[in-house]
Amino acid sequence: MSNSPDYPALVLRRGEERRLRAGHLWVFSNEVDVARTPLTGFQPGDPVTILEAGGKPVGTGYVNPSTLIAARLVDRAGHALDRSLVVHRLKVALSLRERLFAEPYYRLVFGESDGLPGLTVERFGDVVVAQATTAGMDRLRDEVTEAIVKVLAPSALLWKNDSGARAIEGLADSVEVVHGTLDGPAIAREGGVDFLCDLREGQKTGWFYDQRGNRDRLAPYARGAKVLDVFSYLGGWGLRAAAFGASAVECVDASARAVAGINANIDRNGMRDRVQAHAADAFEFLKAARAERRKWDVVILDPPAFVKRKKDFKEGSLAYRRLNELGMQVLERDGILITCSCSHHMPREALIDGLQAGARHLDRQVQLLEPLSQAADHPVHPAIPETDYLKGVIARVIPA
Ligand code: SAH
């Protein structure tokens, strides 16, 4: 790592260093002293040294003149944004995951929380997937590639640069294997179950490792139970439930590709006798099941984010409430509802309030058994609330 690199300065307005000193990593465009360092003088992704108004350095980072977040702080010690910095960060991230997990199936880098703003890295055995969502991180693509190859020696490294966030940063999409070869699907292994994941075509970075710790908690509820896994994607919750001894499992997802994936995973794990997959809209499926008076012992609701932006809160929180009511209506008299939200803008309390309102509306009683949150390979950055996004609860629903 080289100290004091020769980066152009980005000068903050007086007092605007305070949030950064308190731990945050983002500089908003209105916090930059544009008279002294005009943002128009930078290209998206340019490395900078961030300075207080008085000239004291805050650290090195990168800039994007065309986004609301004008800069992200990467290193408070002022090191250059180079391969050796990335290698260092990867090693720090790796030592946590190696303590958490016996095998290399996890998220290795969770952006800001792991000191690499704009970068996600996940491991699927000896296959690695990386995603850059900011111009500054995209600029470092070759350095990140070299660092990953050096630290992990993967058989393949895929850059899955197709997140919607890239367009906002002015970046084009590209999905590309830059090291080794990747033939066919990769595997995410959880609790002894193998999930085949099509990394090139799959959703997000291919698998939802954030729910792994929550799926681990299915054991006491799944044993001998009839389980419905709604918004199943590749069958994560449902197949884990089957492995824990569920007697019958149904998985529902609207995506035909996802359902083909669930079926491949059912076969791969020899669960054809116990697990079924349906391609259907979740709300339609639940309404039809309600009309047919079908019931399950455990219902899992793990939908995509319904509140993507703050202004969607009202509509989105209503969708969670409607979904939870439908879920309760297909539960046995003494049932377990597992409900989740991955919307940062949906506070835990709002999810619980909706659940309780729905239960009262149906004249049921809800007992909150276990709070759920993202797994420890998605650490929360205490100064950046956006990094704390996944919430849920395991609840028991009984007659009032
Ligand atoms: N439960 C999954 C992750 C779910 S991601 C896991 O543990 O891995 C959300 C999933 O919901 C996606 O697979 C998407 O295809 C599906 N989906 C989105 N809208 C849907 C709808 N209206 N009905 C059913 N599935 C839907």
Side-chain angles (χ1 to χ4, degrees):
M1 285 186 262
S2 91
N3 230 329
S4 320
D6 196 12
Y7 293 154
L10 183 77
V11 181
L12 302 176
R13 294 154 71 119
R14 197 155 297 283
E16 299 294 7
E17 75 285 357
R18 240 173 279 148
R19 208 168 24 81
L20 297 178
R21 294 285 185 211
H24 214 294
L25 302 178
W26 299 348
V27 176
F28 291 100
S29 51
N30 62 352
E31 296 167 351
V32 176
D33 185 340
V34 289
R36 292 167 72 189
T37 50
L39 280 166
T40 47
F42 294 101
Q43 294 298 313
D46 280 352
V48 288
T49 296
I50 301 170
L51 302 179
E52 290 183 6
K56 204 169 158 202
V58 181
T60 41
Y62 59 73
V63 67
N64 190 336
S66 45
T67 51
L68 192 59
I69 301 173
R72 295 181 202 231
L73 177 62
V74 179
D75 192 60
R76 291 177 196 275
H79 291 118
L81 311 187
D82 59 13
R83 185 181 83 155
S84 84
L85 179 84
V86 180
V87 166
H88 176 68
R89 292 284 199 273
L90 288 181
K91 286 183 174 168
V92 173
L94 185 61
S95 75
L96 168 68
R97 277 67 176 187
E98 286 184 334
R99 257 184 283 169
L100 294 170
F101 306 110
E103 294 182 298
Y105 300 93
Y106 47 72
R107 178 163 293 195
L108 175 63
V109 173
F110 181 41
E112 274 75 350
S113 297
D114 283 302
L116 291 167
L119 182 68
T120 301
V121 179
E122 292 189 342
R123 302 187 77 184
F124 296 81
D126 55 7
V127 176
V128 173
V129 177
Q131 185 172 77
T133 52
T134 59
M137 195 46 75
D138 205 61
R139 188 80 76 85
L140 290 172
R141 191 176 104 147
D142 290 346
E143 287 80 358
V144 173
T145 296
E146 289 169 22
I148 288 173
V149 169
K150 183 176 153 87
V151 175
L152 303 173
S155 67
L157 169 58
L158 173 75
W159 275 100
K160 188 157 188 297
N161 282 334
D162 61 357
S163 151
R166 289 177 62 87
I168 302 167
E169 292 270 334
L171 300 169
D173 288 353
S174 93
V175 176
E176 209 185 327
V177 173
V178 293
H179 171 85
T181 50
L182 178 61
D183 303 312
I187 287 173
R189 185 170 296 152
E190 263 187 38
V193 182
D194 278 1
F195 294 94
L196 298 165
C197 306
D198 181 343
L199 297 182
R200 282 192 184 81
E201 300 290 335
Q203 296 183 28
K204 302 284 170 77
T205 40
W207 181 243
F208 293 92
Y209 280 120
D210 53 357
Q211 289 281 20
R212 182 225 303 249
N214 300 329
R215 296 184 192 112
D216 290 344
R217 291 154 90 163
L218 276 169
Y221 310 106
R223 209 165 294 126
K226 283 193 300 171
V227 176
L228 179 63
D229 171 14
V230 190
F231 303 97
S232 183
Y233 186 42
L234 301 177
W237 288 93
L239 271 64
R240 292 292 307 277
F244 284 128
S247 58
V249 177
E250 288 173 78
C251 299
V252 179
D253 199 285
S255 150
R257 190 186 282 278
V259 171
I262 301 170
N263 278 314
N265 289 325
I266 291 171
D267 291 335
R268 165 102 187 181
N269 294 283
M271 294 174 169
R272 189 48 72 191
D273 56 332
R274 284 165 289 158
V275 188
Q276 258 185 296
H278 307 286
D281 173 77
F283 290 89
E284 296 307 317
F285 181 93
L286 289 168
K287 280 183 212 159
R290 179 180 63 187
E292 293 161 21
R293 302 193 183 286
R294 299 196 58 204
K295 307 276 182 199
W296 288 267
D297 302 302
V298 178
V299 171
I300 298 145
L301 305 172
D302 181 18
F306 289 155
V307 188
K308 288 212 172 60
R309 293 155 302 180
K310 212 172 188 159
K311 66 183 179 66
D312 302 332
F313 175 77
K314 216 171 151 195
E315 207 178 317
S317 56
L318 208 61
Y320 284 111
R321 180 182 154 173
R322 275 210 317 273
L323 179 65
N324 284 322
E325 269 194 46
L326 280 167
M328 285 187 252
Q329 287 174 304
V330 298
L331 269 181
E332 291 287 0
R333 278 176 68 81
D334 182 346
I336 295 293
L337 183 70
I338 300 180
T339 186
C340 304
S341 161
C342 56
S343 308
H344 156 67
H345 295 293
M346 181 74 187
R348 180 180 294 278
E349 300 71 48
L351 184 69
I352 303 295
D353 286 352
L355 185 63
Q356 171 67 348
R360 292 311 310 140
H361 184 227
L362 299 172
D363 205 20
R364 307 282 166 88
Q365 185 190 341
V366 166
Q367 296 174 312
L368 305 178
L369 308 181
E370 304 187 36
L372 304 177
S373 56
Q374 64 218 51
D377 54 349
H378 295 62
V380 173
H381 191 306
I384 310 179
E386 286 82 354
T387 60
D388 184 10
Y389 66 97
L390 183 65
K391 62 277 299 187
V393 67
I394 302 181
R396 184 182 185 213
V397 184
I398 51 180

